Every structure is written in structure tokens, then in C-alpha cells.
Amino acid sequence: MSERTPSAGTAPEPSSPEPSASQKKIFIKTYGCQMNVYDSARMADVMAPEGYVETASPEDADLVILNTCHIREKAAEKVYSELGRLRELKAEKAVRGEGLVIGVAGCVAQAEGNEMRRRAPVVDIIVGPQTYHRLPDLVARSGNGGPALVETEFPAEDKFESLPAPERRKTVARGPTAFLTIQEGCDKFCTFCVVPYTRGAEFSRPVSRIADEARALVEAGVREITLLGQNVNAYHGEDASGRSSSLGALVRELAAIDGLDRIRYTTSHPRDMDDELISAHGEIGKLMPYLHLPVQSGSDAILDQMNRQHTAEFYLRIVERIRAARPDIALSSDFIVGFPGETEADFEATLALIREVRYAQAYSFKYSPRPGTPAATRDGQLPEEVKTERLHRLQALLSEQSEAFNKSLAGKRLPVLFDRRGRAPGQLVGRSPYLQPVHLDGVSADLFGQIADVVIEEGLANSLRGRLATSEAAPA
């Protein structure tokens, strides 16, 4: 979970003034994925013309938005717990004669809007991930003491067409990296996943709109952009000639933008790793050598039950082709253990796939049923202790591989983008091409927002330690 609030100690002080007492203030708390981080930023942009500025504390806010995620276990319960705290804050403000509008946005709002209105009457606004462009109208209509206003229908209009251009002052405060949503929704219907029901069908933004937003971000000081989508490599937005563009073609278009030094994308699906995108990894230097390619399981039987629409062998051959195009690429993935019906042999097949691929990083979870998904009502639900034991074994192997990859970089020279201050005085932290945090001591704060070559002195379990390079350092 993260908060869409100014973060002390992670960037130089923003040049913009602090909110004045007369301005209205908005606090946004973000749960979950990178797309929610992007959406939270755009919610702040939507409310800026209405006189709202961001604040770091709900106690100071006139408007609080919880931007929720439905992927993790008990996600909704965490939201209701937070709403309990906000109910007390709202009551305290009322005693002082102050108002507080409370909104819930995102996937929990989409999935449980009417139930939330019944269960949490403190909420004034419930808005889904496709309708937050309507926030100004909803805020203006709220606060009359009636039931929450609910906007969770998938709208006919494109929300991106209704959003204002990104507000550049806040972009500068966020630092030299940014997220940019290019695609939403998913048509794959994996049996464990709520995304098709909360984000809707696949939709891709036009190339020109994405390029315009990327240029605005670069003009505001952004050096690295991560392209976002629930199924990002299924991107098929319209290009200048009116034809459907692929993600590989979009990456080439964005790579031509002066000042944009790094491009990433997430999250991808193995079925949509086409020839053009694989070639782009080998031909476009700005496309970072790091790919998050979820597989979920190494068992064909479980992949079939998950409706992943590929086999383990198909996945391995895709990995083989990607590494042939870009030999230095590092791979990341997602894994679910304890899916209904998973046997020990199925689980061992997952471990075998991990040993063959060798991941630099991975995310792993115990299966937990999501209401409304096909897998939630399947027979063969595994005991919690079985899922826990398998998860521990899986994570031990993944941690071993991740640490081995980090240690293999010792002595290498890597270009590092410095994007935040460290905890110690005089320490800066940057991100490597492989997305690890890289810590440097005793360096100038002037390096913030810059890319510099760093010699990696030590690879740790979750990060790298290095020093500024001199000419004798070996390249990666």
C-alpha cells in the first residue's frame, strides 16, 4: 500500500508553495498496483481546477479518497477498517464545524459499491476506476447527509478524453520517474482474477494521446516512464494513420522523444509477446532490460484450470526468444500457490519452471478466492497450512535466485537513475536498469534526477551498493 502524498526525504523540495489555509485540500491513499498510483495522480489533477491541492495528512483534508485494490486477500476488509478511522475523524471535524467528504475509488468500489453504501454510511462518494473523471461533479453534489453517490457503471465515454493534462508542478515533485497508463481492462478472464469485472474490457488509448502525455512528463523533468496496463502488451491503440498499433510500435514512437531516456512496461501476458515486441527488446536501447512476465504456475493442468491460455512449454519458448533478442535481460514473474486442485506434482512443476527460467525477482501469493470469479466456487480448495508450506518453499527458491542475480552484478558498471534520497545523510538511491535500488554514500544531491554510471560493489538480498564509476570499471 502506498499513499499519493508528498513524501519527505525522497526528492528535493518542490518549488511550488505549500497549500494555503484558504485552499481546499485533498488527501489520497492508494492501495495496490502501479495503475492505482497513476489513477490517484489523475484524481488529484481532476480536482486541481476545483481549487484542491494535495496534503500529506487526512486530518488537514477537506476531501479524502481511498483508491482501492481488490487483488490482495481481505482487501475490502482493510478498506472498511480505514473507513472506521475516517468516521471518527469526520465526527471530530463536525464538532469543530469543519466538513469532510469521504470517497472510495478503485476496484473495491467497483466490486462492492452498493454493499459499501449500506455497510459504511460515512462514505459520501463511491466511484469506479472508469468513472473518476466525474469526481468534481460528485464532490459538488455530496455532503447533503444522504446516501453515498455511486458511479460504478462502465461509461460510454472515454475517461481519458475527459481528464485534464497532467499538472506539471506535482509531476516535478514526484521526481524523475512516472507511470503512464496506455491500456486498461482485460479480455483474458483468468479464473482467479477480478480485473475483467472491475476494470472492464480491454481499451487502448490512441498513440498521439500517449505521446503527448509522455512529452509533457519529460518537459516536467521525467527521465523514465513505465507504461501501464492490466494486459499492457495487448495494446492496440490507434496510430496517426488510423491503424491499430502494437506495443512494440508504440515503444519505438516514444523512444524518439528527446529527453526520455528509459522506457518500461507492465504487466504483460505471455500470449501477447509478439515478434515486434520481442524485436524491440533487442533493438531499442531505451527499453530497459527488465521484463515482468507473469506465468502463475508451471503445471499445464493448473494453467488450464486458471484459463491462462498457454502451457509451461509455450512460456519457456517465449523466454528463450526474449533472451535471444536481449541476452542481458532480467525476468520477473507472478506465482500463485495452492490454486484449487493443485497437487504436489503440480507444485513441483512450478519449482522446475522457476529453476529453468532463473528469475531476478518475483512476486508470489497464496491463492485466495475472489467473490464472483469462477475459481472461488471450485472444488478442491486447499487447506491453508498446505498453501502456506508451499509458499515458503517457493519463496525460498525465488529469494535464492534473486540474491544470486544481485550478487552477479558485483564489479559491473551500470547506468543508474537517481530518484530519491537515502535514509543516511549524504546518501542517494537510484534504480538500476534491472529495477533494483542502488545505494550510494557521500554523493552530491545534484545527482538527483540524473543518470550516472555506477560500479556495483556489493549485491545484497534486495538491493545493490555502489560508487560512482571511473573509466576502469567493467561494463555490465
Side-chain angles (χ1 to χ4, degrees), residues 437-464:
V438 184
H439 298 262
L440 274 77
D441 294 316
V443 293
S444 170
D446 292 341
L447 278 173
F448 178 85
Q450 304 300 313
I451 297 174
D453 280 354
V454 170
V455 176
I456 305 304
E457 296 181 315
E458 186 178 13
L460 306 170
N462 300 302
S463 63
L464 306 175

Side-chain angles (χ1 to χ4, degrees), residues 192-346:
F192 55 81
C193 185
V194 298
V195 165
Y197 311 103
T198 58
R199 291 274 182 172
E202 289 179 359
F203 167 80
S204 296
R205 300 176 66 189
V207 171
S208 61
R209 298 288 186 180
I210 295 167
D212 286 346
E213 189 168 340
R215 279 189 284 268
L217 290 167
V218 170
E219 289 172 14
V222 168
R223 307 285 299 274
E224 174 181 304
I225 289 176
T226 300
L227 308 176
L228 298 179
Q230 265 85 33
N231 190 16
V232 70
N233 54 339
Y235 174 81
H236 57 273
E238 186 177 281
D239 66 13
S241 66
R243 293 191 294 266
S244 177
S245 174
S246 68
L247 178 58
L250 175 66
V251 168
R252 292 181 190 277
E253 177 99 3
L254 299 180
I257 297 175
D258 289 338
L260 177 57
D261 298 295
R262 293 179 164 196
I263 300 170
R264 304 181 188 273
Y265 63 88
T266 194
T267 289
S268 54
H269 193 286
R271 292 279 300 178
D272 295 307
M273 288 301 302
D274 60 24
D275 293 344
E276 187 171 20
L277 183 55
I278 292 173
S279 295
H281 276 281
E283 297 167 3
I284 300 174
K286 290 185 178 183
L287 184 57
M288 291 293 94
Y290 177 87
L291 173 61
H292 185 65
L293 189 63
V295 64
Q296 307 300 354
S297 174
S299 162
D300 287 347
I302 295 300
L303 290 170
D304 181 60
Q305 290 298 308
M306 289 177 168
N307 193 36
R308 289 291 292 171
Q309 304 173 40
H310 65 80
T311 64
E313 181 65 22
F314 178 90
Y315 181 88
L316 291 170
R317 297 294 74 80
I318 289 290
V319 168
E320 189 177 79
R321 292 175 57 204
I322 292 166
R323 283 182 164 153
R326 186 72 190 259
D328 66 334
I329 201 163
L331 292 175
S332 172
S333 194
D334 291 342
F335 294 93
I336 295 174
V337 302
F339 189 80
E342 182 187 70
T343 65
E344 180 64 23
D346 293 324

